[in-house]
C-alpha cells in the first residue's frame, strides 16, 4: 500500500500553439521526481501537433473521423473513431477554439505519450509515466469523466484474477483500469475551465515501468467481447442485417432457452382482432426430427410421383432440398391458428380474413429469425411442411386446426456468410 497519493496541478503553462515543444514546457512548469505520473489533457497535445483544423461544419468533421456509428439520437452521435475509441462526436472538439475551427484528437495518442515521456526524461533525467486523457460519457451513468486515450510508462490494466481477497476468496473477474483511474484522479485538479491542462499524480511510483509498455490498446474491448457494441435501434438494424438464410450448421447443440426467448419476441408481432394466431412447435429431440422428416419425405415422394408424374431421379433432386432440415440440430415449426377470426359468408372477405392472419404469422416468424440471429444462431425458413400438412399434424400429434407454415432449421452457422451488397430502399418504394 502507498503511504499517500498527491494530486498536483501544473500551473503556468502558456497557450499551446502548433509546433510547441510541449515536453519542454511541462518540464519547465512542473517540479518532477522519479515515479511521478503526468496526466495530460489531449487538447494541448492536439494543439501542439497541429490538429486544429478549419471546419465550418462540425458534423462534417465528425463524419471524417468516424469509422462506425454506434448510436444516434437526434443530433447526438456515439461513434467509433479512427483511433478505435468509442465516444461522443468522434472526439471532435469545438470548445475553446476559434470560430470556424475544430480540434481533432492526436493521430496516435500512445505515440504522443511515448514522445512526451522521452522528451521529459531527456530534459529532466526523471523517469515518469504519461497518461493522455479525454472526456467520455459512460453507459448507464450520468456525467462525464476523463479516461486514458494514450499512455506510456505504465501498465494500463491491473489484473487481479488469480489473487486472493482478504477473506481467502479467489478473484476471477476483476481487472482494474488503472490508467482510467489515474485520468479521472488527475482531472480533479486539472479542471475544465481553469486553464490547467496537466496534473501530476505522486505517490504511485510502483505503477511506473521502465519500458513504455503497450499503451492504451488493452483498454479497448474487442468487438467479439463487446455485449453493448450498438445502441438500441442500431442493434435492431444490425440484427436484421445479420439475419441470413443458413444452410450448413455445426453439430453444436442449440440452447432451448434461446429459442424460447426468440418465441417470446415472435409473439409480440401485430395480429388482427387482438388475436394470438401463432403456435410454435419446437422439435428438440433427434428422434422426433427423424420421424417427422422421414414421414414428410415419404409424402413428398408419393405426391411427386403420383400427382406430378416425376421420375425417380427428378424426385431425388427435388427432395434433396430438405437436407437443410435434416442436417440442422433443431427445428421450429410455426403454425397458424384462426382463433378469433371472423366468419364471412362470401369468399372474397373470407380470403382476405385468412390473408390477414397469414401476414401476422409472417411478422411473428421474422421476429423469431431476427432474435435468433441476435443470439448467434443461423436459420433457414423453408416451406416444405405446407405441402404435407396432414402428415406433419399426424406425426407430431398436433390439433387439426394448427396449420404448419413451413419449418425453420436452427443452429450455429458452419461458415461465415458471404458478403451481401447493400440493398437500397428506393427500388422498392413508390411515393404518391
Amino acid at each position: 500500500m502507498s503511504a499517500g497519493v498527491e494530486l498536483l496541478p501544473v500551473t503556468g503553462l502558456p497557450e499551446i500553439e502548433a509546433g510547441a515543444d510541449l515536453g519542454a514546457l511541462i518540464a519547465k512548469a512542473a517540479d518532477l521526481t522519479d515515479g511521478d505520473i503526468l496526466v495530460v489533457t489531449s487538447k494541448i497535445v492536439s494543439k501542439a501537433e497541429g490538429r486544429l483544423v478549419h471546419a465550418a461544419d462540425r458534423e462534417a468533421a465528425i463524419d471524417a473521423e468516424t469509422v462506425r456509428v454506434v448510436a444516434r439520437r437526434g443530433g447526438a452521435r456515439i461513434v467509433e473513431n479512427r483511433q478505435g475509441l468509442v465516444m461522443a462526436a468522434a472526439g471532435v472538439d469545438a470548445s475553446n477554439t476559434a470560430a470556424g475551427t475544430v480540434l481533432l484528437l492526436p493521430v496516435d495518442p500512445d505515440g504522443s505519450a511515448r514522445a512526451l515521456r522521452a522528451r521529459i526524461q531527456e530534459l529532466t533525467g526523471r523517469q515518469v509515466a504519461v497518461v493522455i486523457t479525454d472526456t467520455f460519457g459512460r453507459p448507464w451513468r450520468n456525467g462525464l469523466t476523463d479516461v486514458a486515450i494514450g499512455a506510456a510508462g505504465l501498465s494500463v490494466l491491473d489484473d487481479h484474477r488469480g489473487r486472493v481477497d482478504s477473506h481467502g476468496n479467489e478473484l476471477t473477474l476483476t481487472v482494474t483500469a488503472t490508467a482510467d483511474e489515474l485520468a479521472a484522479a488527475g482531472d480533479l485538479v486539472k479542471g475544465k475551465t481553469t486553464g490547467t491542462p496537466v496534473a501530476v499524480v505522486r505517490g504511485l511510483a510502483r505503477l511506473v515501468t521502465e519500458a513504455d509498455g503497450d499503451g492504451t490498446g488493452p483498454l479497448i474491448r474487442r468487438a467479439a467481447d463487446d455485449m453493448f457494441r450498438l445502441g438500441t435501434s442500431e442493434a435492431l438494424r444490425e440484427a436484421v442485417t445479420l439475419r441470413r438464410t443458413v444452410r450448413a450448421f455445426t453439430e453444436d447443440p442449440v440452447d432451448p432457452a434461446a429459442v424460447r426467448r426468440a418465441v417470446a419476441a415472435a409473439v409480440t408481432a401485430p395480429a388482427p382482432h387482438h388475436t394470438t394466431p401463432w403456435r410454435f412447435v419446437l422439435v428438440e429431440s433427434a428422434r422426433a426430427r427423424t420421424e417427422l422428416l422421414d414421414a414428410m419425405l415419404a409424402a413428398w415422394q408419393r405426391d411427386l410421383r403420383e400427382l406430378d408424374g416425376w421420375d425417380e431421379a427428378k424426385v431425388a433432386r427435388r427432395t434433396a432440398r430438405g437436407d437443410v432440415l435434416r442436417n440442422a440440430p433443431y427445428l421450429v415449426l410455426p403454425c397458424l391458428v384462426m382463433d378469433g377470426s371472423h366468419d364471412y359468408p362470401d369468399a372474397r372477405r373470407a380470403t382476405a380474413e385468412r390473408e390477414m392472419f397469414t401476414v401476422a404469422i409472417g411478422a411473428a416468424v421474422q421476429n423469431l429469425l431476427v432474435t435468433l440471429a441476435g443470439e448467434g444462431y443461423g436459420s433457414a425458413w423453408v416451406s416444405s411442411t405446407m405441402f404435407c400438412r396432414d402428415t406433419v399434424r399426424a406425426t407430431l400429434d398436433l390439433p387439426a386446426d394448427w396449420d404448419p407454415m413451413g419449418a425453420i432449421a436452427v443452429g450455429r452457422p458452419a461458415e461465415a456468410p458471404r458478403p451481401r451488397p447493400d440493398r437500397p430502399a428506393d427500388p422498392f418504394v413508390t411515393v404518391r
Side-chain angles (χ1 to χ4, degrees), residues 92 130 192:
V92 175
V130 174
K192 304 297 182 190

Side-chain angles (χ1 to χ4, degrees), residues 32-47:
L32 297 172
T33 64
D34 284 328
D36 282 349
I37 301 170
L38 275 172
V39 181
V40 183
T41 301
S42 63
K43 179 171 289 189
I44 64 169
V45 178
S46 293
K47 287 182 176 181

Side-chain angles (χ1 to χ4, degrees), residues 286-304:
R287 179 189 60 77
R289 289 196 301 277
T290 300
E291 289 179 358
L292 172 65
L293 296 174
D294 285 349
M296 288 173 57
L297 177 61
W300 266 71
Q301 290 172 332
R302 181 188 64 246
D303 288 348
L304 292 173

